[in-house]
Amino acid sequence: MTDEKYFEEMEARIPHGQVRTRFAPSPTGYMHVGNLRTALYTYLIARHSDGVFILRIEDTDQNRQVEGAEEVIYRTLEECGLKHDEGPDVGGPVAPYVQTERRGTYKKYAKMLVERGHAYYCFCDKTESEEDSGEFERADCPCRSMNREEALRRAENEPYVIRQLVPHEGTTTFHDASFGDITVPNDSLDDQVLLKRDGLPTYNFANVIDDHLMGITHVVRGSEYLASAPKYNLLYEGFGWEIPEYVHCSPVMRDQQHKMSKRHGDPSYEDLRKEGYLTEAILNYVALLGWSPKGELAETEFFTLGELSEAFDISGISKSPAIFDIEKLKYFNAHYIRSMTPEQFAEAAEPYIRQAVGNEAYSAAKIAALLQNRCEKLTDIPEKLDFFDELPEYDTELYTNKKSKTNAEISLNVLEQALPRLTALESWDEESIKSMFTDFAGELGCKNATVMWPVRIAVSGRLVTPGGVVEICDILGKEETLRRVELGIDKLRG
């Protein structure tokens, strides 16, 4: 018999009267873009309504767990600012928030469903993989019509699973916020396993139990779970529980035909961070993968997390799949890089600067100032700075520049005259260096570029550099600048 007191106590714990959402990842791998979008939408629905955002760890699939995956979940949520109000690490009124720690609960509810005539004990010899799949013909199963007393007697000594008893006749209709009402014939649904032989629930059963007992009002998940929604409804109805609002999100695609997949080299959140994308840009872009703002915000592209919380409306979620466009993400990332204060950018850029510039005498902050408007992502930085630590080998043809009106002969003359002028500078800063060049060009009666181009080639050995010759000379310092100009003179003299 069911323990009515236990069920009454569980019901009494359920919070009511506010929006409650949950992000319920499995620690079975990395945080792919679709996972992050689910977490973000779940968070935004809660925050938009001043509700509660819950983290629940769904670890019932013990065979697929990956070491360290749980830490990735916590780290990603923290980095993204998706702070949960309840969860395994912070507790809450409906703890525990880890499914394996709720093991005894599921068995009690599965047996309750048997008593109510919505589930049955199955003793058929099925493999573990079949327990979780829909490969099951109800008509071939003698357990489905077994006398309940006989089933209870056999369950005392024989291994069993508990299956959902889906009606043969009629239809089941469920409502989704994006897809509307969907009706399916019951004879198209399988008697899914609810409780496995090891006593752990299947994903589908644990979700329904936990969502009810945690007071979840909105369930956000991928559209691949639309096919399971009718069976969720039948479970809710079997228990006599209120059905939460379903919000099924269409997949994030690599292209028109293929969903994003780690197997195909598509990036996870952590991959994108390693590739130099800012968290704020990733979040902003991911929010728009399948959702669009309404009204006066309809044309807005850039949102902070706080602004997303205010603007987010479930009605803006699209039924159409969203294609992940890395070039569009670069566009967002460049915007966020430009929007940073110089101090913020210098802090973010320094690790990448030091990958290429090991000499601590060269100011990372000054180098960062050259880069903020010249890179789309942080990983662009090292390749732009390879000339600082060591002057690369270069061809004297670089000294010839039509726009600057220079060639090898003119450049040699400029460098020979620039060397004593640079040597004579008492103050070594951008203002002093720039004044020297402009005065020098004035005396020669030529454009500034005619004197600056040869010096820039001499000190960098590169056609393209972040910043101009004034900034580079300032960062290199007087001694190294003079040494490189001398080397340029020697190279041009042959």
Side-chain angles (χ1 to χ4, degrees):
M1 291 293 292
T2 56
D3 184 351
E4 293 300 332
K5 187 168 185 280
Y6 173 82
F7 295 124
E8 288 172 6
E9 289 174 351
M10 295 298 283
E11 288 292 315
R13 296 175 63 203
I14 300 173
H16 296 283
Q18 62 186 156
V19 168
R20 290 174 62 84
T21 67
R22 51 70 170 171
F23 176 52
S26 300
T28 54
Y30 69 112
M31 181 78 84
H32 60 69
V33 170
N35 282 146
L36 179 59
R37 186 185 64 173
T38 299
L40 178 59
Y41 286 5
T42 305
Y43 171 89
L44 293 174
I45 290 169
R47 291 292 174 261
H48 183 74
S49 303
D50 294 323
V52 175
F53 175 55
I54 298 166
L55 173 65
R56 185 172 76 218
I57 301 297
E58 300 196 338
D59 62 343
T60 55
D61 192 347
Q62 298 282 292
N63 294 327
R64 292 181 58 232
Q65 281 201 57
V66 174
E67 188 176 351
E70 200 167 316
E71 288 72 25
V72 170
I73 293 166
Y74 283 108
R75 186 167 60 247
T76 302
L77 291 178
E78 183 178 2
E79 281 186 21
C80 293
L82 306 181
K83 182 176 173 57
H84 49 283
D85 305 297
E86 299 174 21
D89 54 336
V90 295
V94 289
Y97 294 89
V98 177
Q99 282 189 334
T100 50
E101 295 175 16
R102 304 169 64 85
R103 186 179 190 133
T105 299
Y106 306 117
K107 194 166 190 175
K108 287 182 172 68
Y109 280 92
K111 289 184 174 181
M112 177 203 272
L113 212 57
V114 171
E115 288 192 14
R116 293 190 173 194
H118 297 284
Y120 61 95
Y121 290 93
C122 180
F123 303 94
C124 296
D125 186 19
K126 295 283 182 180
T127 65
E128 188 171 339
S129 62
E130 286 175 314
E131 289 181 9
D132 287 307
S133 76
E135 302 300 318
F136 179 75
E137 290 296 329
R138 289 180 288 176
D140 297 336
C141 181
C143 305
R144 182 179 163 91
S145 56
M146 185 183 297
N147 178 281
R148 194 175 303 164
E149 284 70 28
E150 181 186 354
L152 287 170
R153 179 181 54 77
R154 289 182 62 178
E156 291 179 4
N157 301 301
E158 297 180 41
Y160 63 85
V161 299
I162 292 181
R163 290 186 180 275
Q164 184 175 5
L165 185 66
V166 176
H168 282 295
E169 306 82 20
T171 60
T172 297
T173 299
F174 68 94
H175 179 78
D176 177 79
S178 300
F179 292 85
D181 289 334
I182 298 177
T183 300
V184 298
N186 287 336
D187 61 9
S188 69
L189 305 175
D190 66 285
D191 285 1
Q192 65 178 345
V193 172
L194 305 179
L195 200 74
K196 297 183 285 188
R197 281 172 171 76
D198 60 7
L200 283 172
T202 55
Y203 169 85
N204 288 327
F205 186 56
N207 260 270
V208 169
I209 302 301
D210 288 341
D211 285 345
H212 173 70
L213 295 180
M214 292 183 178
I216 301 304
T217 59
H218 297 71
V219 174
V220 183
R221 57 183 167 230
S223 59
E224 65 269 24
Y225 291 105
L226 278 169
S228 299
K231 291 181 283 188
Y232 296 147
N233 266 37
L234 289 170
L235 287 173
Y236 280 109
E237 291 168 2
F239 284 117
W241 293 341
E242 185 178 348
I243 299 169
E245 181 161 7
Y246 299 141
V247 184
H248 288 88
C249 302
S250 292
V252 179
M253 310 289 286
R254 176 160 38 100
D255 52 41
Q256 293 287 353
Q257 284 80 38
H258 303 95
K259 289 188 358 180
M260 289 187 74
S261 165
K262 187 70 170 175
R263 288 197 309 276
H264 294 108
D266 295 317
S268 67
Y269 166 76
E270 291 208 320
D271 291 335
L272 292 172
R273 290 288 291 124
K274 288 174 185 172
E275 289 170 18
Y277 293 95
L278 301 173
T279 295
E280 296 84 355
I282 298 170
L283 274 183
N284 192 158
Y285 179 60
V286 166
L288 299 175
L289 285 175
W291 172 81
S292 55
K294 303 284 188 181
E296 61 184 23
L297 295 175
E299 302 301 318
T300 305
E301 286 185 301
F302 302 109
F303 293 88
T304 65
L305 187 57
E307 289 166 345
L308 281 171
S309 298
E310 289 185 21
F312 196 81
D313 190 311
I314 292 173
S315 66
I317 296 175
S318 171
K319 291 188 289 186
S320 302
I323 295 179
F324 183 85
D325 182 351
I326 197 71
E327 293 303 318
K328 187 73 172 177
L329 177 57
K330 283 181 186 176
Y331 162 75
F332 273 83
N333 205 62
H335 167 83
Y336 277 91
I337 284 176
R338 310 287 186 268
S339 301
M340 298 170 90
T341 66
E343 294 76 21
Q344 288 171 334
F345 180 73
E347 183 179 353
E350 184 164 9
Y352 298 88
I353 291 170
R354 290 305 175 203
Q355 286 177 27
V357 185
N359 190 338
E360 296 284 344
Y362 299 153
S363 166
K366 286 186 176 181
I367 295 173
L370 308 182
L371 296 162
Q372 189 165 1
N373 293 318
R374 293 179 173 87
C375 61
E376 293 180 311
K377 49 196 178 77
L378 297 175
T379 45
D380 293 343
I381 290 172
E383 66 185 16
K384 298 178 184 294
L385 307 175
D386 60 353
F387 62 89
F388 273 105
D389 273 1
E390 186 175 349
L391 182 67
E393 278 298 320
Y394 64 93
D395 196 291
T396 55
E397 288 182 8
L398 298 186
Y399 284 104
T400 299
N401 183 275
K402 192 172 183 181
K403 188 176 178 183
S404 299
K405 298 184 178 178
T406 61
N407 56 27
E409 182 181 350
I410 292 170
S411 295
L412 175 59
N413 180 51
V414 167
L415 292 183
E416 287 177 334
Q417 293 191 62
L419 183 61
R421 294 169 183 271
L422 289 166
T423 304
L425 282 179
E426 294 182 5
S427 296
W428 194 265
D429 52 54
E430 289 188 17
E431 186 178 346
S432 301
I433 297 167
K434 184 177 181 180
S435 294
M436 186 281 295
F437 281 124
T438 53
D439 291 346
F440 181 23
E443 290 176 26
L444 292 180
C446 64
K447 297 195 304 183
N448 290 344
T450 305
V451 298
M452 289 182 170
W453 181 266
V455 180
R456 187 161 74 84
I457 297 300
V459 297
S460 70
R462 289 283 179 257
L463 275 175
V464 179
T465 58
V469 64
V470 173
E471 295 92 345
I472 293 171
C473 290
D474 177 48
I475 292 166
L476 287 173
K478 185 173 184 178
E479 183 179 342
E480 180 63 13
T481 298
L482 296 177
R483 187 184 75 83
R484 294 186 180 193
V485 170
E486 288 172 352
L487 288 173
I489 292 170
D490 291 342
K491 186 182 282 280
L492 285 167
R493 285 175 177 170

